[in-house]
Amino acid sequence: MPAGTLYRGREGMWSWVAHRVTGVLIFFFLFVHVLDTALVRVSPEAYDETIAVYKTPLVALMEYGLVAAVLFHALNGLRVVAVDFWSKGAKYQKQMLYTVMGIWIVLMAGAFWPVLSHAFHEVFGS
């Protein structure tokens, strides 16, 4: 790594990048959600077509990605609060990130079937 570079490429930088990326993804989801909900008032037929698209397996996969983004953003946000307000937070930030990743993996495994079961039934039959 070149001396004097601003980016160190370690866990802290990548968690910072992932936190921003997941925040942007969540913002765009909320923006689209507000728009599709507004379709009810403008064109109920267009709303029904949109909801039909949301029931496709591809969108179910995107929902799983949304769950991943929300869970990581929330858990990493708690880590960031601990780093900022706990006197030993900076010292243990790396261990807290690995803890966040462990909890995130467990929660994502638990969310797998509830989120994706209808997509599996649609693709592979029941």
Side-chain angles (χ1 to χ4, degrees):
M1 174 158 326
T5 182
L6 181 62
Y7 301 105
R8 297 184 181 167
R10 302 286 315 231
E11 295 88 352
M13 184 190 91
W14 290 115
S15 68
W16 182 90
V17 169
H19 196 78
R20 268 71 186 165
V21 168
T22 55
V24 170
L25 290 173
I26 293 166
F27 170 79
F28 280 117
F29 163 76
L30 291 174
F31 182 71
V32 169
H33 180 64
V34 167
L35 287 179
D36 67 30
T37 303
L39 280 176
V40 168
R41 303 283 291 166
V42 177
S43 172
E45 297 82 19
Y47 176 79
D48 290 341
E49 291 175 16
T50 303
I51 295 302
V53 170
Y54 288 170
K55 294 178 182 177
T56 61
L58 178 64
V59 175
L61 195 60
M62 293 168 66
E63 286 175 347
Y64 192 64
L66 176 66
V67 170
V70 169
L71 283 176
F72 179 81
H73 196 81
L75 293 170
N76 194 51
L78 293 174
R79 186 188 71 89
V80 169
V81 169
V83 169
D84 286 346
F85 292 106
W86 181 33
S87 62
K88 297 179 181 176
K91 180 179 178 184
Y92 294 110
Q93 67 91 17
K94 190 184 303 184
Q95 289 86 354
M96 288 189 290
L97 176 62
Y98 291 128
T99 302
V100 163
M101 294 305 297
I103 294 170
W104 180 80
I105 289 170
V106 169
L107 292 175
M108 288 304 297
F112 182 81
W113 189 248
V115 174
L116 293 175
S117 63
H118 73 278
F120 274 95
H121 289 303
E122 188 166 320
V123 171
F124 300 112
S126 33

